[in-house]
Amino acid sequence: MTDPLWHARRLTEDKKRRNDHRSPYQRDRARILHSAAFRRLQAKTQVLGVGMNDFYRTRLTHSLEVSQIGTGIRAQLKQKQPQLDHLFDSMSLIESICLAHDIGHPPFGHGGEVALNYMMRNHGGFEGNGQTFRILTGLEPYTEFFGMNLCRRTLLGILKYPGLHSQLYQASNTAEVQNIRQLKPSQWPPVKGIFDDDIEILDWVLQPLSLADKKRFLSFHAIDGQQHKRTKYKSLDCSIMELADDIAYAVHDLEDAIVMGIVNPVQWQTDVADKLVNSKDNWIRDEFCSIGTKLFSNKHHLRKDAIGTLVNGFVTAIDIQQDTEFEEELLRYNAGLDDNFSAALEVLKQFVFKYVIRKPEIQMLEYKGQQIVMELFEAFESDPERLLPNNTQERWRDSREKGLNSHRIISDYISGMTDEFAARLHQHLFSPNAGSMIEFNKEL
């Protein structure tokens, strides 16, 4: 067992529930699964627009798949590294972290994220992972002030980028746009980190660490070709979640693209198989040269078998890597992918990015969502006490009275919307033919 400090919650609980024998992480998993923020993922874009077809993945189905892959990775590591069995505290812990990892992503995918980041450019920025941390620790109303009140280790596992916005932000020479329709996402990348508004919670999560471990864990560096600085480290649990997320993105989004007819066997051969034919790993060379036949087969069971083969290949190529400069075992050990498989996964991710993410039709959907989010923000910012829902108005006023960042309240409200809700609200505000808004905000 790990240090009981990692089981602690910010708000001490003394719930007298009849015959409740669940572990702390089983309770965390239940809170995430039953939360409104988790349910809204069913109507948020993964890659392809929600509603384009019932088959395609949403943020919700993606999160469920990440959880499944994450538990598979954990099972592999327990078998490969039995001496570290005490670190694999609970299956529910990895499930919780994987289920919650996308909970803060706004409507319309990357388009919505860039839009909110631009509108918050002078107020601490916006980024989906930072918003996830904020929802779990403060916004989701499981408690009055402490969000879902999850265990400290669960929150440590969510910290994909453990650094503050103000320390990671690097100003650019890009001028603010004259018209929001001209905004180019590439010129306004979000800072991947925690909002400065949430520094007290971050400090609480890292409280069990020694000063040396905390300083190193929070360290960051510049990366060539990227505007903002990046954090360098993550916890063991987070490293498992991140690998599961990458595998799900590369393999399962590839499956959607194949079924939709976005990619074809010629592109696969050129951009994937031919690039991996010289891999130093025999399995990669053999599988990637032959698996295209199954992937692009008209027989669904063959395609599913191929997808399962790819996932299994990546999961079984993961082992523990050690960084002896950390004292805390949860930081010293990370899950890592074999170098050859890491290179293969990157080839797959680039394939999905090139032919799916960058596809003009997908970018048009992203652009439309980007405009909706920015115009909603402009409207609410112009007169919050007139246009925001009553409960959000109260939070906005309370924030102003305490001298806090009231723009964050507007960002919280919009980022919590589903694609459909945001689109309909935009129509109600800006379309002359839209109907009444009575009871409209009961959805959020």
Side-chain angles (χ1 to χ4, degrees):
M1 291 288 286
T2 49
D3 190 321
L5 275 173
W6 291 112
H7 287 165
R9 304 180 190 276
R10 286 173 69 221
L11 176 65
T12 302
E13 295 181 357
D14 187 25
K15 296 183 184 295
K16 306 291 186 185
R17 291 191 173 162
R18 185 171 175 270
N19 297 329
D20 189 349
H21 304 297
R22 292 175 300 168
S23 73
Y25 300 123
Q26 286 175 320
R27 295 182 184 192
D28 282 359
R29 180 179 177 273
R31 292 176 191 189
I32 292 163
L33 274 172
H34 293 294
S35 68
F38 183 74
R39 286 196 302 278
R40 288 191 194 111
L41 295 178
Q42 68 187 304
K44 289 192 178 186
T45 294
Q46 170 61 13
V47 173
L48 305 171
V50 172
M52 289 177 72
N53 187 303
D54 287 344
F55 173 86
Y56 307 127
R57 290 166 168 87
T58 65
R59 288 274 180 192
L60 181 68
T61 56
H62 166 74
S63 298
L64 293 171
E65 288 173 336
V66 172
S67 177
Q68 178 63 30
I69 294 171
T71 56
I73 294 171
R74 175 187 175 275
Q76 281 287 320
L77 296 179
K78 273 179 72 74
Q79 187 165 8
K80 288 180 177 179
Q81 303 287 349
Q83 76 280 12
L84 298 179
D85 189 69
H86 61 287
L87 292 179
F88 300 106
D89 219 347
S90 162
M91 188 71 82
S92 295
L93 169 66
I94 295 300
E95 286 184 306
S96 297
I97 293 167
C98 291
L99 289 170
H101 84 282
D102 262 357
I103 222 165
H105 280 265
F108 306 112
H110 183 63
E113 183 179 49
V114 169
L116 275 178
N117 182 54
Y118 180 75
M119 301 310 286
M120 290 290 290
R121 62 195 179 281
N122 299 319
H123 308 286
F126 178 88
E127 194 266 336
N129 296 285
Q131 191 68 17
T132 292
F133 186 73
R134 188 168 169 79
I135 288 170
L136 297 177
T137 59
L139 297 181
E140 183 65 31
Y142 182 86
T143 62
E144 188 173 4
F145 302 113
F146 297 90
M148 296 187 201
N149 198 35
L150 303 178
C151 293
R152 182 183 264 123
R153 182 170 170 180
T154 305
L155 294 176
L156 180 72
I158 286 293
L159 286 173
K160 202 170 174 181
Y161 306 105
L164 290 175
H165 178 280
S166 58
Q167 295 177 322
L168 302 172
Y169 174 79
Q170 290 280 91
S172 74
N173 296 323
T174 306
E176 294 183 6
V177 296
Q178 297 300 309
N179 185 309
I180 57 175
R181 297 194 187 281
Q182 300 170 346
L183 185 74
K184 291 183 174 66
S186 61
Q187 295 178 344
W188 296 92
V191 171
K192 294 185 178 297
I194 301 300
F195 307 137
D196 286 55
D197 302 301
D198 301 318
I199 185 173
E200 289 183 16
I201 309 168
L202 178 63
D203 285 341
W204 179 84
V205 172
L206 303 183
Q207 197 175 303
L209 301 180
S210 68
L211 288 177
D213 270 5
K214 181 178 178 181
K215 182 179 180 181
R216 190 159 188 261
F217 187 58
L218 293 173
S219 64
F220 46 83
H221 59 160
I223 298 179
D224 289 344
Q226 296 194 10
Q227 179 183 330
H228 305 299
K229 296 174 182 175
R230 278 288 190 97
T231 55
K232 299 162 76 172
Y233 304 105
K234 53 183 64 66
S235 70
L236 168 65
D237 305 319
C238 186
S239 69
I240 294 173
M241 175 268 283
E242 188 171 45
L243 282 170
D245 189 22
D246 282 352
I247 293 168
Y249 165 78
V251 179
H252 290 142
D253 290 350
L254 166 68
E255 182 183 11
D256 282 359
I258 291 171
V259 172
M260 195 176 181
I262 292 176
V263 293
N264 60 52
V266 175
Q267 293 165 335
W268 170 268
Q269 185 65 40
T270 303
D271 287 66
V272 178
D274 288 353
K275 287 186 177 180
L276 296 176
V277 72
N278 295 318
S279 173
K280 295 177 182 177
D281 185 272
N282 293 334
W283 188 92
I284 292 174
R285 282 202 312 273
D286 295 343
E287 285 295 338
F288 278 91
C289 286
S290 61
I291 205 167
T293 305
K294 285 185 176 181
L295 278 175
F296 291 90
S297 171
N298 290 325
K299 296 182 177 179
H300 297 312
H301 71 280
L302 292 178
R303 186 178 65 248
K304 294 305 294 186
D305 179 61
I307 292 295
T309 298
L310 289 176
V311 171
N312 173 261
F314 288 116
V315 168
T316 53
I318 294 170
D319 207 338
I320 289 291
Q321 299 172 349
Q322 185 174 180
D323 183 341
T324 55
E325 291 191 44
F326 278 116
E327 300 167 38
E328 170 58 58
E329 286 188 309
L330 292 178
L331 305 186
R332 184 186 307 161
Y333 299 107
N334 266 204
L337 193 56
D338 169 89
D339 287 345
N340 294 311
F341 279 84
S342 183
L345 185 61
E346 187 59 31
V347 168
L348 273 189
K349 286 166 66 177
Q350 289 303 316
F351 183 71
V352 171
F353 181 77
K354 177 180 178 180
Y355 289 108
V356 184
I357 308 296
R358 296 305 302 172
K359 187 176 175 66
E361 291 84 347
I362 301 297
Q363 285 300 306
M364 286 179 187
L365 287 173
E366 199 171 278
Y367 177 81
K368 181 169 72 171
Q370 183 181 309
Q371 300 309 309
I372 288 172
V373 167
M374 288 192 287
E375 289 180 6
L376 285 177
F377 197 105
E378 274 191 338
F380 293 132
E381 185 182 33
S382 72
D383 201 344
E385 295 188 277
R386 178 185 178 198
L387 298 175
L388 287 173
N390 288 332
N391 61 336
T392 310
Q393 282 186 36
E394 288 178 20
R395 287 186 60 226
W396 184 85
R397 279 192 292 269
D398 184 57
S399 182
R400 296 269 289 185
E401 289 166 7
K402 293 178 179 176
L404 301 176
N405 183 3
S406 58
H407 284 79
R408 183 66 62 195
I409 308 304
I410 300 173
S411 173
D412 289 340
Y413 177 54
I414 296 175
S415 71
M417 297 176 182
T418 63
D419 295 18
E420 171 73 11
F421 185 92
R424 284 168 48 210
L425 180 54
H426 182 273
Q427 187 178 27
H428 276 283
L429 277 172
F430 298 107
S431 172
N433 298 320
S436 168
M437 285 182 60
I438 300 297
E439 297 190 359
F440 186 70
N441 286 317
K442 281 192 174 181
E443 295 185 29
L444 284 182

